[in-house]
Amino acid sequence: MKEVINNDYQISDEIGRGRFGIVYRCYSIVSGDCFACKSIDKRLLSDPTDRECLQKEPKILHILGGNPNIVQIHRLYEEEDYLHMIIDLCDSHDLFDRISKRAGVFSESEAVSVFSPLISSIGYCHRLGIAHRDVKPDNVLFDSRGNLKLADFGSAEWFGMNERGTMTGVVGTPYYVAPEVLSGREYNEKVDVWSAGVILYIMLAGVPPFYGESPADTFEAVLRGNLRFPTKLFRSVSPEAKDLLRKMLCKDVSRRFSAEQVMRHQWVVTGGETRSMADLT
């Protein structure tokens, strides 16, 4: 890893590490602004699918450029053995860390303050024909100002390029993956709505809606899709929030809400406040 990339960016300390590369803090030599440099070792990409993802992610980030709740790509540098992406620096705790640190639950107003920009960013992706396909708390980042940034589009796909608007392939993460992905059938962008619904459930209840002792058991629970609201966990959760969860974590994809429908739901529109429809008129 070079300490300076093309005389443009000064590489600093390591701030993250993944399967195929390392994320560093870096600084623009011209402006002094802080960014992150995601450096991927291409020699570790023996699987053709992984190589395809490597080429696809920068292109997708360019298409999604301009949305304040999606990590932006600023520059791309390619060497023989490495690919370096200069992206937004998100050096605050990610959503996974925030959930783990609480060892408890979010109030509804706290949950909606995270959920609203998240589902808005997902809706933006879907309008441009892109599905993220790995929405989970680890990929929900925050910058130093507290702005939410959806990240890691390595598993994303252009469903808009398919006449039927469908995709195939088992991608995603246990707990958050939609049942139709695991079933091996074709699926559409609503897989992201399911994953966002799991995140919302966890923020309100402190536990995932579908889980098991092993990944295989978890997948079985997801495939069953038996959504429950244990009284002990949901005693203080509003009927509006539970209604939204039912419509997001709906196994019947034709009845599952789209991201746009989620954004128009009463619970989101009112900022998590429990009001009757009469109060809104």
Side-chain angles (χ1 to χ4, degrees), residues 75 153 155 209:
R75 294 290 294 273
F153 283 78
S155 298

Side-chain angles (χ1 to χ4, degrees), residues 158-177:
W158 283 294
F159 65 86
M161 297 179 70
N162 182 320
E163 264 186 33
R164 295 201 301 271
T166 57
M167 297 161 278
T168 58
V170 179
V171 295
T173 302
Y175 297 131
Y176 306 99
V177 65

Side-chain angles (χ1 to χ4, degrees), residues 88-131:
D88 288 341
L89 176 64
C90 296
D91 53 356
S92 190
H93 292 293
D94 63 30
L95 185 56
F96 180 84
D97 289 335
R98 294 182 181 207
I99 291 171
S100 302
K101 190 176 180 181
R102 280 175 171 267
V105 297
F106 289 65
S107 69
E108 291 189 38
S109 60
E110 289 172 328
V112 80
S113 70
V114 173
F115 181 78
S116 183
L118 173 60
I119 197 64
S120 175
S121 68
I122 291 170
Y124 180 79
C125 293
H126 292 178
R127 287 194 297 276
L128 293 178
I130 293 169

